[in-house]
Amino acid sequence: MPTRPVRVAVQLQPQDADYAQIRDAVRRAEDLGVDVAFNWDHFRPLRGDVDGKHFECWTMLAAWAEQTSRIELGALVTCNAYRNPDLLADMARTVDHISGGRLILGIGSGWHRTEFEDYGYEFGTAGSRLDALGEALPRIESRLARLNPPPTRDIPVLIGGGGERKTLPLVARHADQWHWFAGPDELPHKLDVLRGHCAAIGRPFEEIELCAGVGGLGRAGLPPQLPEVEGEPLRALGVTMFTINVVGPSYDMSFVQPWLDWRDRLNA
């Protein structure tokens, strides 16, 4: 299998900003040369004022799909519990068409108890939420195969999370991309576990693109390191997509440029 190119993604966190500022941020990300723009699937801010400004994930992705022309886009990650799986498949197919085939279907089991309860979803347990995700993924795949018109491409599925007994088996069976906020000290063990789950079902481990978060306020409250410090150890382990968290309301992307320069040197 050919070596994948290195890619740089940003997560534009949809809180603390007016939508005009978010719209401007995704435009600037595309103009800058970023490969992927993610938002997240939450109903309230994750830090600061929990009643502060915040916007919904999938309606935003549809707007981004219309606004942009090159960049891939998706949620990091959709909460499986918040939408019927067949409906989610139809939403993903629609955004796929609006974008001309640039959607990544990021999905996970969810974790934020307060927003589950505030919006009337059953929180359950970590295990029950992962079981529900395991039941939803085949339904999503089945619905995508039956929609008319079909998606413009096989929509890449990105699964987030590092649970070894339930999440990583789902990655092995269903995901095109695996995303986790793990440093180079933790990652080798997780990769060994994922390789084992792939081997158990006869799937080549190399089919899965490895993606990692590399900084911003979502990781220990710290800005990202330079790519030579943070990126090189992860790339040596096989990571090819690197996600930087960018926060509102200013969405300052000045620290993204060194990562783009590094990407371009490696991909030349």
Side-chain angles (χ1 to χ4, degrees):
M1 179 177 293
T3 302
R4 287 187 177 89
V6 169
R7 302 200 291 162
V8 173
V10 293
Q11 186 188 53
L12 305 175
Q13 300 180 356
Q15 68 170 58
D16 302 327
D18 295 324
Y19 185 70
Q21 294 168 305
I22 299 172
R23 182 176 58 233
D24 176 68
V26 76
R27 176 193 61 78
R28 289 189 287 115
E30 181 164 68
D31 290 348
L32 198 61
V34 165
D35 297 292
V36 185
F38 292 113
N39 60 10
W40 66 29
D41 191 17
H42 292 285
F43 298 136
R44 57 173 58 200
L46 296 187
R47 63 178 191 280
D49 180 5
V50 297
D51 295 318
K53 295 177 182 179
H54 198 278
F55 290 97
E56 193 275 330
C57 168
W58 274 89
T59 44
M60 183 182 300
L61 289 178
W64 286 7
E66 188 67 46
Q67 176 190 344
T68 58
S69 61
R70 178 194 58 80
I71 203 167
E72 285 194 297
L73 47 94
L76 189 62
V77 289
T78 304
C79 177
N80 171 65
Y82 294 163
R83 298 163 192 86
N84 173 286
D86 293 270
L87 171 62
L88 178 60
D90 205 339
M91 293 165 60
R93 182 278 309 256
T94 300
V95 175
D96 166 73
H97 273 265
I98 296 170
S99 68
R102 294 180 288 118
L103 177 72
I104 295 171
L105 178 52
I107 192 165
S109 60
W111 59 271
H112 199 296
R113 176 189 287 272
T114 302
E115 64 186 19
F116 267 75
E117 295 174 348
D118 187 34
Y119 274 66
Y121 296 103
E122 181 180 351
F123 187 64
T125 66
S128 68
R129 294 192 301 276
L130 282 165
D131 289 342
L133 176 60
E135 294 168 1
L137 287 164
R139 287 179 58 183
I140 291 169
E141 293 164 356
S142 175
R143 180 62 62 181
L144 286 171
R146 289 181 285 147
L147 289 169
N148 183 19
T152 67
R153 64 170 179 170
D154 290 334
I155 298 174
V157 173
L158 179 153
I159 294 179
E164 296 177 13
R165 292 189 301 107
K166 292 193 174 186
T167 302
L168 293 183
L170 294 176
V171 173
R173 187 168 297 279
H174 298 283
D176 302 286
Q177 300 168 335
W178 175 56
H179 196 290
W180 197 43
F181 292 92
D185 295 336
E186 304 168 82
L187 191 56
H189 171 69
K190 296 293 183 182
L191 294 178
D192 285 343
V193 174
L194 181 55
R195 286 188 187 93
H197 289 307
C198 287
I201 62 171
R203 183 183 184 189
F205 168 78
E206 295 75 17
E207 288 183 356
I208 301 171
E209 182 178 14
L210 305 180
C211 315
V214 291
L217 290 179
R219 183 169 180 187
L222 299 173
Q225 299 286 338
L226 291 173
E228 289 79 8
V229 174
E230 189 94 11
E232 284 291 354
L234 292 168
R235 190 174 76 94
L237 295 169
V239 174
T240 56
M241 186 160 76
F242 301 84
T243 305
I244 301 166
N245 297 334
V246 183
V247 301
S250 65
Y251 296 104
D252 177 8
M253 279 179 270
S254 60
F255 51 77
V256 177
Q257 188 62 54
W259 286 84
L260 298 175
D261 295 340
W262 176 71
R263 174 202 64 186
D264 293 344
R265 291 194 300 271
L266 293 173
N267 292 342

